[in-house]
Amino acid sequence: MNVTEDYTGHVEPGGAAARRTLDALTITKMSVGPMDNNAYLLVCRATSEALLIDAANDPERLSDLVGHGPDRSSLRTIVTTHQHPDHWQALGAIAGAYGADTVAHPADAEPLPVPADILVEHGDTVTFGEITLEVIHLRGHTPGSIALLYRDPHGHPHLFTGDSLFPGGVGKTNSPEDFTSLINDVEERIFGQLPDDTWFYPGHGDDSTLGAERPKIGEWRQRGW
């Protein structure tokens, strides 16, 4: 597995993974599958325990990302950000191969190919090694979409948004009511709580920061998508 250390937030479909190294955590991003889904492997540097966000596709490549040697990380947890099938095509294979616990919001757990071992609600936490992630429920793209927040004690926050927030707008919704729900949650639970230097990692495509997107919220709300 080719992994670059020059992290920009951009990865190519089928290309190299990109790793970002923080004081306590590494974040490795890789594009998988035909819909250019982002999968994120988070590894606690103190314990080598790992958590995977969205086992979306390409189980062989995801396994290569975790590693095969004696010094590979120990994948303990897989979080699925929401129920859409492009985000869990490799969930059964990876969970089975590593014996990892699977995590989802109860409103989105039923369609998943394996039962969720851990159900999480807004305000809950998910831990692996010495790392804690906060669960943020964002209603609208799906009923049980969640984001995961890491508050780096030595830097800015890092937020994994699934398909609820992208550079340029919120995720796709199927009705005006769902759009209003999603943009309200995104504005109140993300932009209303976190600083501009929060770096966010979406379910597809490139990363951004809340500061880069904050001035556009009114435009998103006005246009209705």
Side-chain angles (χ1 to χ4, degrees):
M1 171 60 63
N2 185 17
V3 180
T4 66
E5 301 291 343
D6 181 21
Y7 191 89
T8 65
H10 177 78
V11 290
E12 290 288 339
R19 179 181 295 124
R20 182 175 213 165
T21 301
L22 310 179
D23 284 354
L25 177 70
T26 63
I27 300 167
T28 308
K29 177 178 182 176
M30 185 169 67
S31 172
V32 296
M35 296 184 68
D36 187 19
N37 284 76
N38 294 325
Y40 297 96
L41 182 70
L42 281 55
V43 180
C44 171
R45 297 182 67 190
T47 66
S48 291
E49 290 189 15
L51 175 145
L52 179 65
I53 299 174
D54 285 346
N57 214 312
D58 295 343
E60 297 86 0
R61 295 185 69 223
L62 291 176
S63 292
D64 288 344
L65 185 63
V66 175
H68 301 285
D71 59 346
R72 69 174 174 86
S73 57
S74 176
L75 181 60
R76 299 293 179 85
T77 309
I78 305 171
V79 180
T80 303
T81 59
H82 62 288
Q83 64 175 272
H84 287 160
D86 61 307
H87 288 261
W88 50 253
Q89 291 298 306
L91 179 59
I94 297 298
Y98 293 92
D101 288 334
T102 58
V103 180
H105 189 280
D108 271 22
E110 185 175 352
L112 303 185
V114 295
D117 298 301
I118 302 170
L119 297 174
V120 292
E121 301 274 4
H122 180 68
D124 288 345
T125 58
V126 178
T127 60
F128 61 103
E130 298 178 1
I131 303 299
T132 298
L133 305 178
E134 300 172 27
V135 176
I136 303 173
H137 185 197
L138 301 169
R139 300 157 291 189
H141 180 65
T142 64
S145 288
I146 56 173
L148 297 168
L149 173 65
Y150 172 61
R151 297 183 188 268
D152 185 355
H154 305 290
H156 56 75
H158 297 260
L159 180 67
F160 302 87
T161 58
D163 283 2
S164 291
L165 177 64
F166 296 95
V170 297
K172 180 181 178 181
T173 54
N174 294 318
S175 71
E177 293 76 18
D178 286 345
F179 169 77
T180 298
S181 175
L182 180 54
I183 199 164
N184 284 348
D185 275 0
V186 165
E187 188 165 12
E188 294 166 11
R189 296 181 173 186
I190 293 179
F191 287 96
Q193 302 294 324
L194 297 172
D196 282 351
D197 63 356
T198 302
W199 187 286
F200 73 88
Y201 306 76
H204 305 263
D206 293 352
D207 304 350
S208 187
T209 65
L210 296 189
E213 306 303 319
R214 192 182 300 274
K216 309 170 189 175
I217 298 173
E219 174 189 338
W220 301 347
R221 189 178 290 276
Q222 185 174 20
R223 77 189 183 192
W225 55 273

